[in-house]
């Protein structure tokens, strides 16, 4: 909702602000309140701070994605949920494929992964995954079922985005 207000200048009725505040406050209290009396180590506090930072970045990008999708549905009216889903999945597939195919080349010819402290074994993820599936053929069925469930879930998500709004989807 914050990005809807700041980027796209969208306004909502007062009760929607109240609902978003209550949901956010409830999640924050549930996540951050630990009634334990044990003293935490400094590494646990550092991990908590790192995790909350990553969560904040994830929520920022998720909100930006939802706000942008709402804007696209409003600005380009004949654009439908399935069309948005196909476009997003094609773009995601292109980026993921480029990463999987180019990361071994980048790791061997440039120092970027060593600067980022990425172990060299994790740069060839595609061949590791294919080797695992070949060694464990039963996992292929699980991967296909996982992909099918994700596709069905996306249909409902994009239907909701196209006919209602992302605010309804996230609250």
């Amino acid at each position: 909702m914050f990005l809807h207000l700041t980027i796209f200048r969208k306004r909502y009725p007062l009760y929607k602000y109240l609902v978003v505040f209550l949901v956010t406050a409830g999640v924050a209290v549930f996540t951050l309140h630990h009634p334990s009396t044990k003293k935490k180590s400094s590494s646990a506090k550092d991990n908590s701070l790192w995790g909350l930072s990553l969560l904040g970045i994830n929520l920022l990008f998720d909100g930006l994605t939802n706000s942008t999708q709402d804007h696209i549905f409003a600005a380009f009216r004949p654009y439908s949920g399935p069309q948005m889903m196909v476009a997003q999945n094609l773009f995601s597939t292109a980026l993921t494929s480029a990463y999987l195919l180019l990361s071994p080349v980048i790791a061997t010819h440039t120092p970027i992964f060593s600067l980022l402290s990425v172990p060299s074994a994790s740069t060839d993820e595609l061949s590791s995954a294919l080797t695992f599936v070949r060694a464990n053929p039963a996992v292929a069925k699980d991967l296909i079922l996982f992909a099918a469930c994700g596709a069905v879930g996306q249909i409902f998500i994009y239907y909701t985005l196209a006919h209602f709004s992302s605010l309804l989807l996230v609250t």
Side-chain angles (χ1 to χ4, degrees), residues 60-153:
L60 175 73
F61 283 122
D62 189 45
L64 185 60
T65 300
N66 289 334
S67 299
T68 305
Q69 287 172 334
D70 279 348
H71 177 71
I72 289 171
F73 279 128
F76 305 102
R77 203 63 189 128
Y79 208 57
S80 68
Q83 288 173 322
M84 173 85 75
M85 185 174 71
V86 168
Q88 190 258 331
N89 284 332
L90 286 174
F91 188 71
S92 177
T93 300
L95 284 176
T96 303
S97 298
Y99 168 76
L100 289 173
L101 296 173
L102 295 176
S103 64
V105 175
I106 293 171
T108 58
H109 297 322
T110 64
I112 192 163
F113 282 100
S114 61
L115 291 173
L116 296 173
S117 300
V118 175
S120 61
S122 68
T123 58
D124 198 8
E125 296 176 44
L126 181 61
S127 65
S128 299
L130 292 176
T131 303
F132 179 80
V133 172
R134 278 190 216 107
N136 304 290
V139 81
K141 181 183 108 182
D142 294 332
L143 289 172
I144 291 169
L145 285 172
F146 180 75
C149 289
V152 170

